[in-house]
């Protein structure tokens, strides 16, 4: 008995007088959602969001244990005193004119003194970025919405964009303590006529070749939203399976939208059929209606001829019938395009349009690009043209890409604006609302924030004939080989004088025959 007493005392001390101690609630949480939006053009857009919130001040606390937040990103924040990070990889172009405004990430206030902006129009070497992006997820691609992220399906779409957003969030009104938010977003646009075999019908299996089987066990919220604003099962033209039990209505991008909600944490949602395969079928052929034109969209192109000079032009469209609004235009142009700032012209309705604010930072050769930022007022129902002339520079032969005749990509222009809203919106409850609703910050309810990107441009530069070095090398090697071979033979070959022989058996036989015929011998 005496030997068992210390063990009993240790157990009692661990349990305490009140039994087992209550575990500290986790300070991090995970929310995941998928938004499926049929686009006006007939395509289908799918937007994934995975949001981790961690109530920890990484730059002040010595954090050594990570549960949901990726350790690699947490160490990056602590080591470099990172305030915000927005990194995105996009393949394709979001066609605002036909698809409407894209889903955007809400930006918090940032001190421009600490802001760093960089853009890479195109990767010279193709790399696969989806796998490391999925490894940052708490459930990876094993459970939850991430099981739909199949590479061979995502990369064969008309538009693909994946991003990582890190930012601090205030826990109270005075912002005396902060939390860190990590958002991983992925947006794809499927061609409904290809995935639906010539029809506008779609389903999760047709788009992703997989269905949902279980939620992520680490997620506190896992939902799927389907935009059914323009569809109603009452008119017997469309059928949504399974029928939604919950709907959500709100003002998104200036219009009132209705979404069917499917909660994966609801055990009855998946257990009844062991999987969830959302699908939409048309009972009648849909009418071909012209898609609504967004209030703001843009177009960019390069003009000119030859390989010396050219002109960059950006067209800004304001289709609102009576409202004018300002647009912030940001252009980052590579140094090898010499911009002539005195040729900058802005015209609206045939008249000069002077910008309210303009900032220009000239480029430095091989160090930094041109940076041009302007605040332009767009009149109602107008097209504003912004153009500037440039001259092409001649690069060093080692600075050309492996395929120089393909051309050089110029990064797109970035447009930021508060667009007038058709329907008044209410302030967003950041924690109670869906994640996709917090993508659209609302200032006063009469407008909504929009950030658009124009097309990247392909510009040809003066390119030398790279076949000439090859020809010179071949000719030089041939000349060296011939000359060196001959000179080497002269130096190493030994010459001997050969005495003429008196003749052999053949010569004797020939002389005998000649004597017999009376001919002089040889």
């Amino acid at each position: 008995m005496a030997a068992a007493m210390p063990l009993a005392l240790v157990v009692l001390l661990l349990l305490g007088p009140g039994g087992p101690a209550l575990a500290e609630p986790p300070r991090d949480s995970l929310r995941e959602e998928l938004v499926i939006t049929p686009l006006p053009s007939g395509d289908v857009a799918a937007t994934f969001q995975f949001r981790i919130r961690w109530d920890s001040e990484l730059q002040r606390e010595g954090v050594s244990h990570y549960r949901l937040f990726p350790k690699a990103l947490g160490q990056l924040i602590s080591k470099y005193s990172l305030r915000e990070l927005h990194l995105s990889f996009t393949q394709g172009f979001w066609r605002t004119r036909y698809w409407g405004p894209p889903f955007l990430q809400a930006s918090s206030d940032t001190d421009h003194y600490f802001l760093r902006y960089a853009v890479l129009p195109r990767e010279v070497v193709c790399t696969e970025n989806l796998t490391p992006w999925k490894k940052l997820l708490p459930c990876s691609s094993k459970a939850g919405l991430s099981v739909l992220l199949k590479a061979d399906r995502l990369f064969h779409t008309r538009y693909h964009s994946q991003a990582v957003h890190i930012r601090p969030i205030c826990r109270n009104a005075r912002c005396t303590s902060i939390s860190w938010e990590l958002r991983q977003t992925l947006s794809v646009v499927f061609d409904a006529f290809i995935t639906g075999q010539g029809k506008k019908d779609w389903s999760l299996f047709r788009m992703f070749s997989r269905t949902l089987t279980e939620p992520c066990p680490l997620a506190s919220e896992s939902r799927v939203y389907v935009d059914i604003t323009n569809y109603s099962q009452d008119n017997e033209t469309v059928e949504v399976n399974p029928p939604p039990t919950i709907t959500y209505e709100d003002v998104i991008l200036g219009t009132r939208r209705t979404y069917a909600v499917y909660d994966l944490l609801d055990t009855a949602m998946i257990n009844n059929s062991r999987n969830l395969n959302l699908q939409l079928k048309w009972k009648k052929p849909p009418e071909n209606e012209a898609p609504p034109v967004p209030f703001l969209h843009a177009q960019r192109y390069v003009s000119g001829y030859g390989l010396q000079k050219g002109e960059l032009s950006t067209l800004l469209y304001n289709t609102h019938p009576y409202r004018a609004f300002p647009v912030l235009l940001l252009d980052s142009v590579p140094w090898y395009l010499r911009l002539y700032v005195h040729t900058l012209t802005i015209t609206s309705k045939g008249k000069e349009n002077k910008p309210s604010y303009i900032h220009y930072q000239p480029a430095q050769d091989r160090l930094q690009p041109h940076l041009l930022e302007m605040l332009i007022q767009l009149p109602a129902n107008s097209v504003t043209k912004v153009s500037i002339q440039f001259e092409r520079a001649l690069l060093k032969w080692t600075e050309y890409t492996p395929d120089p005749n393909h051309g050089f990509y110029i990064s797109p222009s970035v447009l930021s604006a508060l667009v007038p809203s058709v329907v008044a919106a209410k302030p967003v409850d950041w924690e109670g609302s869906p994640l996709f609703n917090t993508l659209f910050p609302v200032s006063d309810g009469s407008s909504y924030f929009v950030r658009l990107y124009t097309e990247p441009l392909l510009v040809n530069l003066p390119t030398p004939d790279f076949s000439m070095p090859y020809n010179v090398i071949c000719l030089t090697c041939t000349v060296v080989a011939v000359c060196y071979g001959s000179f080497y033979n002269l130096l190493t070959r030994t010459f001997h004088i050969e005495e003429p022989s008196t003749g052999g058996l053949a010569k004797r036989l020939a002389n005998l025959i000649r004597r017999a015929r009376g001919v002089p011998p040889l």
Side-chain angles (χ1 to χ4, degrees):
M1 293 295 295
M5 284 299 295
L7 180 60
L9 290 176
V10 172
V11 173
L12 289 176
L13 290 175
L14 290 176
L15 295 179
L22 296 177
E24 181 182 357
R27 297 191 299 172
D28 51 0
S29 60
L30 169 65
R31 297 173 60 186
E32 60 177 9
E33 73 177 28
L34 167 62
V35 182
I36 301 177
T37 306
L39 300 176
S41 62
D43 303 316
V44 180
T47 303
F48 294 83
Q49 275 203 83
F50 304 89
R51 184 240 197 183
I52 299 176
R53 174 172 176 171
W54 192 9
D55 297 337
S56 174
E57 300 192 14
L58 297 176
Q59 298 176 353
R60 298 180 183 178
E61 304 175 3
V63 179
S64 59
H65 176 67
Y66 292 81
R67 195 177 80 99
L68 299 179
F69 204 93
K71 184 177 181 180
L73 298 181
Q75 293 176 342
L76 183 68
I77 296 173
S78 302
K79 183 176 181 179
Y80 296 101
S81 300
L82 191 67
R83 295 192 177 187
E84 270 191 56
L85 173 65
H86 303 276
L87 176 66
S88 62
F89 297 93
T90 303
Q91 179 69 31
F93 173 66
W94 184 273
R95 306 180 183 278
T96 308
R97 175 65 177 80
Y98 304 99
W99 296 345
F103 278 11
L104 301 175
Q105 172 67 26
S107 55
S108 54
D109 296 334
T110 305
D111 190 349
H112 286 241
Y113 181 77
F114 300 99
L115 179 63
R116 300 294 183 268
Y117 173 78
V119 61
L120 181 66
R122 176 178 178 263
E123 288 181 297
V124 178
V125 180
C126 181
T127 57
E128 197 273 305
N129 301 307
L130 182 63
T131 300
W133 185 88
K134 291 193 296 185
K135 289 182 178 180
L136 299 177
L137 300 175
C139 290
S140 185
S141 57
K142 307 299 182 183
L145 300 178
S146 58
V147 299
L148 301 178
L149 303 180
K150 194 175 180 181
D152 61 339
R153 301 296 297 176
L154 297 180
F155 291 137
H156 289 81
T157 56
R158 304 186 65 177
Y159 175 83
H160 170 270
S161 179
Q162 61 190 62
V164 174
H165 305 280
I166 303 176
R167 65 172 183 171
I169 297 178
C170 297
R171 299 188 204 174
N172 50 42
R174 296 184 179 180
C175 203
T176 56
S177 60
I178 62 172
S179 302
W180 285 97
E181 181 191 66
L182 167 63
R183 289 205 189 200
Q184 294 181 243
T185 62
L186 189 145
S187 300
V188 291
V189 175
F190 293 92
D191 191 335
F193 291 94
I194 296 178
T195 58
Q197 299 178 355
K199 302 179 182 180
K200 289 189 176 182
D201 301 345
W202 58 264
S203 66
L204 290 182
F205 186 78
R206 285 183 177 178
M207 292 189 295
F208 302 101
S209 296
R210 292 178 180 175
T211 58
L212 298 173
T213 56
E214 61 177 343
C216 176
L218 300 176
S220 60
E221 180 180 307
S222 182
R223 295 181 178 180
V224 179
Y225 295 85
V226 180
D227 190 348
I228 56 173
T229 303
N230 300 326
Y231 311 127
S232 176
Q233 301 194 70
D234 298 334
N235 55 14
E236 297 183 354
T237 59
V238 70
E239 179 182 359
V240 181
N241 288 319
T245 58
I246 306 175
T247 58
Y248 174 80
E249 294 185 2
D250 208 336
V251 178
I252 306 297
L253 293 175
T255 58
R256 187 169 298 279
R257 316 296 297 182
T258 304
Y259 295 88
V261 184
Y262 300 89
D263 191 355
L264 299 185
L265 296 181
D266 185 3
T267 56
M269 183 63 64
I270 296 180
N271 291 345
N272 292 338
S273 57
R274 297 186 179 274
N275 61 43
L276 179 61
N277 182 25
L278 298 178
Q279 52 185 342
L280 183 144
K281 295 182 179 179
W282 288 89
K283 296 181 179 179
K284 299 179 180 179
E287 299 179 359
N288 294 326
E289 299 180 357
V293 180
F295 287 154
L296 175 64
H297 61 280
Q299 182 183 1
R300 196 184 191 201
Y301 60 91
V302 60
S303 58
Y305 58 90
L307 294 177
Q308 182 180 4
K309 296 183 179 180
E311 185 178 77
L312 293 175
S313 301
T314 305
L315 301 180
L316 309 178
Y317 294 87
N318 177 11
T319 61
H320 200 284
Y322 56 87
R323 287 283 299 274
F325 53 87
V327 170
L328 184 63
L329 177 64
L330 176 65
D331 262 333
S332 178
V333 183
W335 62 269
Y336 43 78
L337 296 185
R338 319 285 193 185
L339 294 183
Y340 295 147
V341 185
H342 69 280
T343 64
L344 176 64
T345 57
I346 306 174
T347 56
S348 299
K349 296 183 176 180
K351 299 180 180 179
E352 182 182 1
N353 188 346
K354 293 185 178 180
S356 307
Y357 162 80
I358 184 171
H359 170 72
Y360 173 69
Q361 180 177 340
Q364 297 182 19
D365 287 358
R366 300 172 180 85
L367 293 179
Q368 68 179 22
H370 303 270
L371 182 64
L372 181 60
E373 190 176 19
M374 297 177 290
L375 183 63
I376 306 173
Q377 187 75 14
L378 302 185
N381 196 17
S382 66
V383 179
T384 301
K385 181 179 181 181
V386 181
S387 61
I388 185 171
Q389 297 180 7
F390 65 88
E391 181 179 357
R392 296 173 172 87
L394 183 63
L395 303 180
K396 298 180 180 179
W397 72 275
T398 56
E399 294 174 342
Y400 286 90
T401 59
D403 187 10
N405 294 312
H406 178 75
F408 291 78
Y409 282 90
I410 309 300
S411 58
S413 301
V414 184
L415 281 72
S416 304
L418 289 175
V419 180
S421 177
V422 178
V423 183
K426 299 180 181 179
V428 177
D429 181 7
W430 291 87
E431 296 299 326
S433 300
L435 293 178
F436 71 89
N437 199 6
T438 59
L439 291 175
F440 316 107
V442 178
S443 57
D444 56 358
S446 62
S447 60
Y448 58 93
F449 178 77
V450 169
R451 178 171 290 136
L452 303 178
Y453 295 85
T454 62
E455 305 93 333
L457 300 179
L458 189 62
V459 178
N460 290 324
L461 295 181
T463 305
D465 185 3
F466 286 100
S467 64
M468 288 305 296
Y470 174 77
N471 297 334
V472 171
I473 291 174
C474 293
L475 178 61
T476 304
C477 292
T478 303
V479 172
V480 169
V482 172
C483 297
Y484 177 76
S486 302
F487 187 69
Y488 180 80
N489 288 334
L490 291 175
L491 293 178
T492 59
R493 183 175 297 178
T494 304
F495 296 91
H496 300 278
I497 299 176
E498 183 178 357
E499 296 293 339
S501 59
T502 59
L505 179 61
K507 186 175 181 181
R508 294 175 184 177
L509 292 176
N511 289 334
L512 290 175
I513 297 173
R514 292 174 68 88
R515 287 193 188 99
R517 296 176 60 186
V519 179
L522 297 175

